[in-house]
Amino acid sequence: PSLEFMDASDAISMIKSCGYFRKHFSSGRQSQNFMTLSEVLNKVYDAHPSASALGALVSYLSRIKLDDELLKNGILVPYEVYKGSLQLDGQTLSNLEIFKNSADGGREGTLISYLDFCETHFGKRLLRRWICHPLQNIKEIKDRLDAVNELMVRPEVAHVVRTSLQCIPDLERLVACLHRLGRSVDMMALPIGVNRIQQRKIKIFSTAVKGLLYGFDLLNFLKKGDCEGPPHAHLLQTASLLEKVNQAQRFLREIANYIKAFLNSKTHKIEQKKLMSRLEDNEIHYLNHKITIFNQYNGWWS
């Protein structure tokens, strides 16, 4: 145990030397949106035990050969699940019949059955998280109510938002599937397995790219609005001001063109090598990062 739960300074040194969580240590443009490791640790209750526990977790993942997959491009954030929200434990959720009724354990008559009109799977998941963690901050509550009210009084905007979201696939699960396919050791042992995995990976990646492009088109619509102009609610304005939208769209369209060229090409082997070089872990992590940022802004209207 003493070898795994090392001193905090030793744990941080080990993480640096192995190149884990590189975004938190690099000084380039890529790291500007991420806190340093020390900043992350300063936000927790006791930094030294936290760093020691992190070192133990890293050692375990290294021992079972998952460190390259999970830690090289991993991102650390403080665990603040109840920050700014009420704490509702499982017994409270059960007594209030939030998700299950007390009669037969079904959904009928529960709070979620009256609130859940979400069009997307990621919207449904976010709604459940919001119900489990009700806001405490009055300004944040009013911002949500203002956004809902504006969508109600501007049905044209609400219609575009809803129909646009219906075109967006479950991006979080697609990226998780890409990671899983990239580590399918059993299938990779056979040549036919390699081809199947690569073909499926290309198909899933193509779906994710198209979904993100739909999402950015929606954000561009919110910037312009309808005949009455852009939305005025704070949350809607924030969603439309996502940074570097045009740059992200150019990058995604470039990837989409590579995929299209591969699918239309007769010389699949040459094009496949070019394409798969574009689908390395860094590109997938970039896509995952964009999905995370996009979901922060679009989830509340899903």
Side-chain angles (χ1 to χ4, degrees), residues 229-290:
H232 303 291
H234 175 69
L235 280 181
L236 290 170
Q237 291 177 344
T238 303
S240 66
L241 295 178
L242 182 64
E243 293 183 358
K244 301 180 180 178
V245 170
N246 293 332
Q247 178 182 339
Q249 284 180 306
R250 286 195 298 269
F251 171 82
L252 293 170
R253 288 196 178 99
E254 181 182 352
I255 294 295
N257 289 334
Y258 271 96
I259 296 173
K260 185 177 180 180
F262 165 74
L263 296 176
N264 295 333
S265 175
K266 295 181 179 179
T267 57
H268 289 300
K269 292 184 179 179
I270 297 176
E271 293 296 334
Q272 189 176 48
K273 289 182 179 179
K274 292 180 181 179
L275 176 61
M276 295 313 294
S277 67
R278 304 288 302 184
L279 303 186
E280 295 296 329
D281 283 346
N282 286 338
E283 307 292 14
I284 294 175
H285 280 286
Y286 176 88
L287 180 65
N288 194 18
H289 175 57
K290 290 300 179 186

Side-chain angles (χ1 to χ4, degrees), residues 14-126:
M14 182 266 293
I15 290 171
K16 287 183 178 179
S17 63
C18 293
Y20 301 144
F21 310 112
R22 62 185 71 176
K23 293 184 177 67
H24 296 281
F25 295 107
S26 59
S27 56
R29 183 181 298 178
Q30 187 184 36
S31 65
Q32 292 179 357
N33 295 327
F34 302 99
M35 293 184 289
T36 64
L37 183 58
S38 60
E39 290 173 337
V40 174
L41 292 173
N42 287 337
K43 287 183 172 292
V44 300
Y45 179 72
D46 200 329
H48 289 284
S50 299
S52 179
L54 178 62
L57 178 59
V58 168
S59 297
Y60 172 73
L61 292 174
S62 176
R63 195 164 62 248
I64 62 176
K65 308 301 182 183
L66 288 178
D67 52 329
D68 285 341
E69 178 182 355
L70 299 177
L71 302 181
K72 293 290 186 181
N73 292 291
I75 299 172
L76 290 172
V77 293
Y79 183 70
E80 299 174 317
V81 65
Y82 289 117
K83 182 180 180 181
S85 65
L86 297 175
Q87 299 185 28
L88 300 180
D89 57 23
Q91 190 62 48
T92 301
L93 294 174
S94 176
N95 292 339
L96 294 176
E97 299 189 346
I98 302 297
F99 301 116
K100 297 180 180 180
N101 62 49
S102 57
D104 57 5
R107 184 182 167 112
E108 184 178 358
T110 60
L111 178 63
I112 190 71
S113 67
Y114 290 102
L115 297 180
D116 187 2
F117 294 95
C118 298
E119 294 289 345
T120 64
H121 292 294
F122 50 86
K124 291 178 181 293
R125 292 197 298 269
L126 183 62

